[in-house]
Amino acid sequence: MKSSDPKNNQSDSRRDFLKKSSVITAIALTPGVAVKAAESNADERFAELFEKIPLNLTVNNKAYKINVEPRVTLLDYLREELHLTGTKKGCDHGQCGACTVHVDGQRVNSCLSLAVMNEGKKITTIEGLADGDTLHPMQAAFIKHDGFQCGYCTPGQIMSAVACIREGHTSSRAEISEYMSGNICRCGAYPNIVDAIVEVKEGGATV
Amino acid sequence: MINFQYLRTTTAKSAIALLGKDKNAKFLAGGTNLIDLMKRGVTAPEKLIDINHVPLKQIEQVGNKINIGALASNSAVADHALIKEKLPLLSWALQAGASAQLRNVATVGGNMMQRTRCGYFYDTEMPCNKRQPGTGCGAMEGFNRMHAIFGTSEKCIAVHPSDMCVALIALDAEVVLANAKGERKISFKDFHRLAGNTPQLDNNLKADEMIIRLEIPVNNLAKNYHYLKVRDRASYAFALVSVAAAFEINNNKIIDIRLAMGGVAHKPWRLTASENFLKGKEASLSNFEQAAQLAMTAAKGFGGNDFKLKLAPNTIIEALNLAKSKA
């Protein structure tokens, strides 16, 4: 694994413009010298207001070391810093599940976790599920069973669905629905999502 | 989100020392409630002390007690073999709360410390004595469908939203707290407070203290138990009313019984009078009905939540029936 600083190759995109303008805002707000507080007896890290601290994360098997402000959520870090925009921002309050990713193999809402809380952890996002051009069985099953309409909740649904099988919470359709309840779909694709999960589970493929 | 200083530490001692230095510091564990409150501007700590690396995640039996570290995640507790075998009521209550994603991150201590989900508390444009003492209570004469029917005050009718805490109060849990001087242990029923004249205080944790662990006595309540949660949708919603019921039964006679409710008060609500009534009696529907009526003696509705006056006793009866049918 090597350290990497991803570049966004899209030019003139809306996202690129937003990124440039937010960099300017950040510079305007950052104090000239960010001073470490010497008197702190925290035995690991200390970050002053607006100070960025180094964060080591492995995302989709790639190691990253990027300085980040403590108030940046894991969701914003993935989308704005690493440009992994597959993970969606839905409600941004832990109520919809669109931002679901795996942290050390467990599904979490990335919108309610500060990036700095995840130092040293292994993150998997929807971009990390497929094996090259070969879809993950759950991705293929969602397509086959029409497990989405608008698609906005889909990355979170798929990440949650994979975790649901790994956790062993798939003994019945009712149990699948219960353990998928943290992922909301406004289009109402729920029955098809459950169909997809049942098929992958019964197919016995390693997820 | 308003910016803050961020500190990370690996020992409880250091965490407590850091907390003692600053009135506006808060511990950051799972963050599933705190970060949400900060995003909405309901709370704005100047300093966050990240305690996720403090080793307080143990789940173990010590003598006749089961100890659970304050930083054990909700899912780690719910899925633990020891908890499923000896304290299944706690496991069930945890599974009834939040979503799989939130339970993976939310901690036991954080669950106890979570704030009410009262809409007036969350909306910073609204009056709320809990968020800003002295501004009034928007819920009292406003939308109060989710609100309390027991132990309310003129200042606040919010409810504590936890499911886990309802099981813990029923199971006679104790809480070990620590500050720089040492540890103290309190009964779980004394951890949370009624709103009274100080609705801004949810619990009796002192400003310089940290929750270290829970201690739960092993019991004979692992066979006949049920956690029944009634809510607006089938899953992933806060309780309108919930009931934790567990009893030890011999020849249909109740030897020991625990009953507690959620979604009805500013703290998890233990139904002591109903328990005392049922102790030594037959586990029959008519006794369950009388116990449920006893539980409602001091209940009071505020308009929008009047339905809870009927829903609550019915939920108690149903939870007791379901616990009994597990025999």
Side-chain angles (χ1 to χ4, degrees), chain B residues 144-149 300-309:
Chain B
N144 51 35
R145 197 169 166 272
M146 299 295 291
H147 290 70
I149 53 172
K300 181 186 167 192
F302 292 85
N305 66 353
D306 286 351
F307 71 95
K308 290 191 182 182
L309 302 174

Side-chain angles (χ1 to χ4, degrees), chain B residues 18-283:
Chain B
L18 288 166
L19 184 71
K21 284 171 99 179
D22 199 327
K23 265 192 218 159
N24 292 312
K26 271 190 197 298
F27 288 141
L28 173 66
T32 53
N33 187 215
L34 180 58
I35 293 170
D36 189 27
L37 291 166
M38 289 170 68
K39 283 184 178 185
R40 294 175 194 265
V42 176
T43 186
E46 290 170 8
K47 203 177 265 185
L48 286 187
I49 304 161
D50 184 342
I51 55 172
N52 283 293
H53 299 264
V54 177
L56 290 174
K57 294 184 181 171
Q58 80 281 12
I59 301 167
E60 60 191 2
Q61 183 161 355
V62 180
N64 63 349
K65 285 180 178 171
I66 291 169
N67 292 353
I68 302 175
L71 289 168
S73 74
N74 285 195
S75 58
V77 178
D79 295 339
H80 199 281
L82 184 66
I83 306 298
K84 280 183 166 171
E85 186 201 337
K86 298 198 169 166
L87 304 171
L89 180 69
L90 175 60
S91 181
W92 273 45
L94 279 162
Q95 302 280 15
S99 66
Q101 289 97 312
L102 291 166
R103 292 193 295 267
N104 278 340
V105 176
T107 62
V108 164
N111 190 315
M112 291 162 65
M113 295 300 291
Q114 68 178 309
R115 310 302 309 270
T116 184
R117 297 317 197 277
C118 171
Y120 297 91
F121 175 73
Y122 261 79
D123 186 342
T124 54
E125 299 298 311
M126 290 287 174
C128 173
N129 287 325
K130 183 180 279 299
R131 178 170 28 79
Q132 212 175 342
T135 54
C137 173
M140 195 75 72
E141 291 175 4
F143 292 97
N144 51 35
R145 197 169 166 272
M146 299 295 291
H147 290 70
I149 53 172
F150 292 117
T152 51
S153 85
E154 288 172 7
K155 300 273 168 70
C156 179
I157 58 171
V159 298
H160 194 265
S162 170
D163 293 296
M164 179 193 81
C165 293
V166 181
L168 288 174
I169 199 169
L171 293 169
D172 280 343
E174 293 178 300
V175 193
V176 175
L177 309 170
N179 66 8
K181 288 177 193 152
E183 290 188 351
R184 70 174 174 129
K185 200 191 289 189
I186 65 169
S187 170
F188 193 86
K189 69 179 162 45
D190 297 325
F191 183 81
H192 293 98
R193 299 166 58 98
L194 287 182
N197 284 321
T198 52
Q200 68 273 24
L201 301 177
D202 294 346
N203 56 60
N204 291 311
L205 185 77
K206 291 179 185 152
D208 64 348
E209 283 181 323
M210 180 177 188
I211 305 172
I212 301 296
R213 68 177 176 277
L214 293 168
E215 296 185 0
I216 309 166
V218 177
N219 53 48
N220 292 317
L221 305 163
K223 196 175 166 203
N224 291 107
Y225 66 90
H226 198 85
Y227 186 76
L228 181 57
K229 183 174 180 183
V230 183
R231 43 192 158 176
D232 280 333
R233 56 186 183 197
S235 177
Y236 197 23
F238 289 99
L240 294 165
V241 168
S242 70
V243 172
F247 47 77
E248 186 186 345
I249 197 169
N250 189 6
N251 285 331
N252 208 35
K253 198 174 137 185
I254 294 170
I255 311 291
D256 188 10
I257 171 134
R258 309 293 173 80
L259 270 176
M261 286 178 104
V264 293
H266 196 260
K267 58 183 285 187
W269 197 247
R270 182 89 178 249
L271 307 178
T272 315
S274 307
E275 290 179 2
N276 290 339
F277 171 80
L278 285 171
K279 240 172 243 172
K281 289 203 175 64
E282 198 192 335

